[in-house]
Amino acid sequence: MSLNKYEQGLFDYIDRQTEERRYWHGKIVEATRVSHDFGVLARELERDMWDYYKERSQQVAVLKELNTGGLQRVSLLNLTEHLLRRWGPPPRPKKAVSPGGSPNGT
């Protein structure tokens, strides 16, 4: 998965900061307990991630440097999807397809 420079900077920051990583890990684990619609979850978490990015980019030098022209809305959806895959539940195994082409041999 390819992350834009904002997503990569934020991912690196979260990955290096134990408390921040713990916070996002917990948030993702809890969100996936409540819902299994990863498309909806990703968009909701992306909005939370954007609010978090706005707040942290005012205080964290590495993130502040990414916004030399001022803070503008960017997508953090790839990062959110990456974290959902990384910390969310493992994907369900696919049902075996019988030689006749239908699952479960019926």
Side-chain angles (χ1 to χ4, degrees):
M1 171 170 290
S2 178
L3 301 177
N4 65 41
K5 69 179 184 176
Y6 304 96
E7 291 170 316
Q8 187 65 55
L10 187 55
F11 174 77
D12 292 343
Y13 171 73
I14 290 169
D15 201 43
R16 285 191 303 263
Q17 305 297 320
T18 305
E19 289 300 317
E20 306 296 328
R21 185 175 56 247
R22 188 176 298 137
Y23 169 79
W24 282 103
H25 180 267
K27 189 168 184 75
I28 287 171
V29 167
E30 182 59 31
T32 57
R33 259 190 222 131
V34 175
S35 172
H36 294 290
D37 186 341
F38 278 24
V40 171
L41 276 176
R43 288 185 296 279
E44 289 173 357
L45 288 167
E46 193 272 347
R47 286 188 289 273
D48 292 343
M49 183 80 65
W50 173 250
D51 290 340
Y52 173 80
Y53 178 79
K54 286 191 308 186
E55 187 262 326
R56 299 309 296 157
S57 67
Q58 294 175 11
Q59 301 169 7
V60 176
V62 173
L63 300 177
K64 189 183 282 191
E65 290 170 8
L66 293 172
N67 302 302
T68 55
L71 185 65
Q72 295 182 358
R73 179 67 161 105
V74 294
S75 174
L76 301 174
L77 191 58
N78 285 344
L79 173 58
T80 305
E81 290 173 346
H82 173 70
L83 294 177
L84 276 167
R85 285 188 196 102
R86 186 174 182 179
W87 294 330
R92 295 182 183 151
K94 295 182 181 183
K95 293 182 179 180
V97 176
S98 70
S102 65
N104 301 326
T106 55

